[in-house]
């Protein structure tokens, strides 16, 4: 079985994530589909992720995809708000239902003890049947006379993140817009019912998720797949597809699966500097993130820090404050690396339209 070291895995990830070379894809939904969605609980961050991946990306392109309903904001993988294409939201949501409920109950189990999930879901759907977008608070206020005991937060999260598949409507998530969350059932917003789970063995939706995940993140282990989507019950999908996949080993001895024809560039392929948003897929899409970030710096990947890739690995964090784009290296940068970081930072400053007057790399002196 072929061994793939971390550098080989890194280049495979960068290639599939459009981080070795920006894609000329004309529409954000094409890239969002390739990435299997983009984590989006911070509404402005996906714009940076798309700018780092698309040639000539303009924020209005994502605005148009959101208002045109080809891309939607919804709770999905790991019970986190993601940008996903309309087709993926409808195809994948039913497969995530059990996980979404379990995760809300795991957080609020004592608060929600005794609540009949089906009755609450039916009551919530009845309220939303008038087609009017509502905030979570407004939805809870409409049903709380029947469920007065649970805290509003627990009842609301159960309704909007688990029991009723919801879309978060624009202007939430539009460029430079600050807006609260207004919810509408996915089927009402997208004009099509959610796909039911197919009958039969082999978990066909899980198989689709596995293929799509490997196309965007492979080669990867089963634990990586679970960490990305939050679904534990995927062994049937892996078993059904195993004969179609190629298998490798990583430096830690884990078995990795991949699609036979997926790109696996040479480990020495040059990797350009890239500025990534908080919670970017390329970092968070794995259980074992050693292909892209050192163990010593894992904390930055979950703490909401924006990161800089240098030679394909997380080498710095970055922030914008007081008209200054500040970069804090996590390791010493060579003169050539610093020059490349400054050049890409200059392009980013133009994109952000933040009246950035200074780019500063913190050397610790």
């Amino acid at each position: 079985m072929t061994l793939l070291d971390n550098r080989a895995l890194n280049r495979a990830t960068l290639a599939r994530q459009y981080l070795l070379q920006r894609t000329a894809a004309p529409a954000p939904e094409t890239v969002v589909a390739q990435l299997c969605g983009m984590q989006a609980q911070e509404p402005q961050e996906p714009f940076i992720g798309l700018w780092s991946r698309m040639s000539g990306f303009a924020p209005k392109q994502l605005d148009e995809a959101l208002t045109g309903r080809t891309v939607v904001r919804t709770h999905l993988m790991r019970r986190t708000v993601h940008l996903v294409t309309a087709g993926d939201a409808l195809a994948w949501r039913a497969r995530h239902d059990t996980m979404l409920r379990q995760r809300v109950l795991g957080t609020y189990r004592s608060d929600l003890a005794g609540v009949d999930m089906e009755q609450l879901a039916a009551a919530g759907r009845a309220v939303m049947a008038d087609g009017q977008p509502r905030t979570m608070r407004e939805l809870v206020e409409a049903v709380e006379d029947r469920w007065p005991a649970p805290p509003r937060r627990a009842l609301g999260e159960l309704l909007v993140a688990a029991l009723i598949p919801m879309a978060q409507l624009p202007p939430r998530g539009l460029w430079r817009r600050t807006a609260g969350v207004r919810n509408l059932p996915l089927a009402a917003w997208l004009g099509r019912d959610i796909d039911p789970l197919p009958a039969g063995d082999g978990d066909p939706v899980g198989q689709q998720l596995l293929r799509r995940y490997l196309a965007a993140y492979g080669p990867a282990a089963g634990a990586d797949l679970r960490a990305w989507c939050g679904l534990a019950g995927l062994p049937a999908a892996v078993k059904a597809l195993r004969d179609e996949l190629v298998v490798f080993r990583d430096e830690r001895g884990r078995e990795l699966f991949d699609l036979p024809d997926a790109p696996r560039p040479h480990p020495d392929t040059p990797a350009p500097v890239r500025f990534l948003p908080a919670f970017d897929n390329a970092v968070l899409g794995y259980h074992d993130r050693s292909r892209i970030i050192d163990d010593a710096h894992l904390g930055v990947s979950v703490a909401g820090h924006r990161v800089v890739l240098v030679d394909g690995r997380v080498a710095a964090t970055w922030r914008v404050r007081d008209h200054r784009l500040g970069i804090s290296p996590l390791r010493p940068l060579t003169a050539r690396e610093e020059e490349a970081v400054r050049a890409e930072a200059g392009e980013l400053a133009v994109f952000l339209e933040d009246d950035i007057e200074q780019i500063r790399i913190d050397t610790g002196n």
Side-chain angles (χ1 to χ4, degrees):
M1 190 178 299
T2 302
L3 173 70
L4 295 178
D5 63 19
N6 273 348
R7 192 172 176 88
L9 294 174
N10 174 271
R11 292 318 195 245
T13 292
L14 298 182
R16 300 175 202 201
Q17 293 276 320
Y18 299 130
L19 293 170
L20 276 185
Q21 183 176 358
R22 284 181 167 94
T23 177
E29 49 265 43
T30 304
V31 178
V32 172
Q34 166 62 22
L35 301 179
C36 303
M38 301 179 73
Q39 195 160 329
Q41 72 266 38
E42 296 292 339
Q44 296 297 300
E45 298 303 294
F47 289 92
I48 301 165
L50 289 170
W51 173 81
S52 289
R53 291 171 165 92
M54 294 180 65
S55 298
F57 171 71
K60 69 176 182 179
Q61 293 175 279
L62 181 53
D63 284 356
E64 290 170 355
L66 285 162
T67 58
R69 311 187 191 194
T70 58
V71 170
V72 63
R73 292 173 52 86
T74 188
H75 288 89
L76 202 60
M77 284 74 75
R78 307 183 304 279
R79 195 171 72 89
T80 304
V81 176
H82 274 71
L83 282 185
V84 291
T85 65
D88 285 345
L90 295 170
W92 295 350
R93 172 56 202 241
R95 185 63 179 81
H96 286 75
D97 277 350
T98 299
M99 178 273 292
L100 292 169
R101 291 191 185 198
Q102 289 174 342
R103 292 210 169 194
V104 175
L105 290 174
T107 302
Y108 300 107
R109 188 169 302 279
S110 60
D111 294 326
L112 295 169
V115 174
D116 186 300
M117 300 292 134
E118 300 311 316
Q119 289 183 9
L120 178 60
R125 286 194 294 268
V127 171
M128 299 302 299
D130 62 4
Q132 295 301 309
R134 287 177 172 82
T135 65
M136 185 171 74
R137 179 173 181 172
E138 289 169 342
L139 178 55
V140 170
E141 287 175 347
V143 302
E144 66 179 345
D145 59 330
R146 294 179 57 186
W147 289 276
R152 284 183 168 186
R153 182 74 184 184
L155 208 60
E157 290 206 19
L158 183 59
L159 282 165
V160 304
L163 296 183
I164 305 174
M166 294 284 202
Q168 295 187 356
L169 304 195
R172 181 74 168 177
L174 300 183
W175 181 242
R176 299 296 189 196
R177 296 288 296 273
T178 300
V181 177
R182 295 161 55 252
N183 303 286
L184 193 69
L186 271 174
W189 178 243
L190 298 178
R192 197 184 102 195
D193 288 337
I194 291 169
D195 296 348
L197 281 177
D201 299 329
D203 188 6
V205 179
Q207 291 181 43
Q208 184 192 63
L209 283 166
L210 174 57
R211 288 191 183 97
R212 293 280 300 280
Y213 174 76
L214 292 177
Y217 297 90
D224 296 318
L225 172 65
R226 291 193 298 273
W228 165 72
C229 64
L231 301 175
L234 289 167
V238 175
K239 181 179 180 181
L241 290 183
R242 191 177 182 97
D243 289 345
E244 299 180 20
L245 305 176
V246 291
V247 183
F248 302 97
R249 293 275 181 194
D250 66 9
E251 292 177 336
R252 302 187 181 197
R254 300 187 313 156
E255 186 178 58
L256 307 179
F257 301 104
D258 204 7
L259 303 175
D261 298 326
R264 289 180 288 276
H266 192 280
D268 293 335
T269 302
V273 168
R274 289 289 183 259
F275 282 71
L276 298 185
F279 308 115
D280 192 83
N281 302 52
V283 181
L284 294 188
Y286 302 94
H287 172 70
D288 181 354
R289 299 169 184 165
S290 60
R291 71 179 66 195
I292 198 165
I293 187 169
D294 294 344
D295 288 347
H297 304 140
L298 282 173
V300 306
S301 67
V302 295
H305 293 289
R306 295 164 165 176
V307 300
V308 185
L309 300 184
V310 179
D311 191 27
R313 298 186 63 79
V314 173
T317 61
W318 68 277
R319 67 203 174 279
V320 175
R321 186 179 302 160
D322 299 327
H323 305 292
R324 174 187 295 173
L325 199 165
I327 300 158
S328 299
L330 299 170
R331 64 163 176 81
L333 301 177
T334 68
R336 179 173 294 182
E337 287 173 339
E338 185 172 321
E339 180 182 3
V341 168
R342 286 188 182 276
E344 186 72 358
E347 298 294 329
L348 175 62
V350 172
F351 169 76
L352 291 175
E353 302 174 351
D354 259 335
D355 297 324
I356 294 171
E357 299 169 356
Q358 182 183 14
I359 296 169
R360 178 174 178 175
I361 298 179
D362 181 7
T363 61
N365 297 328

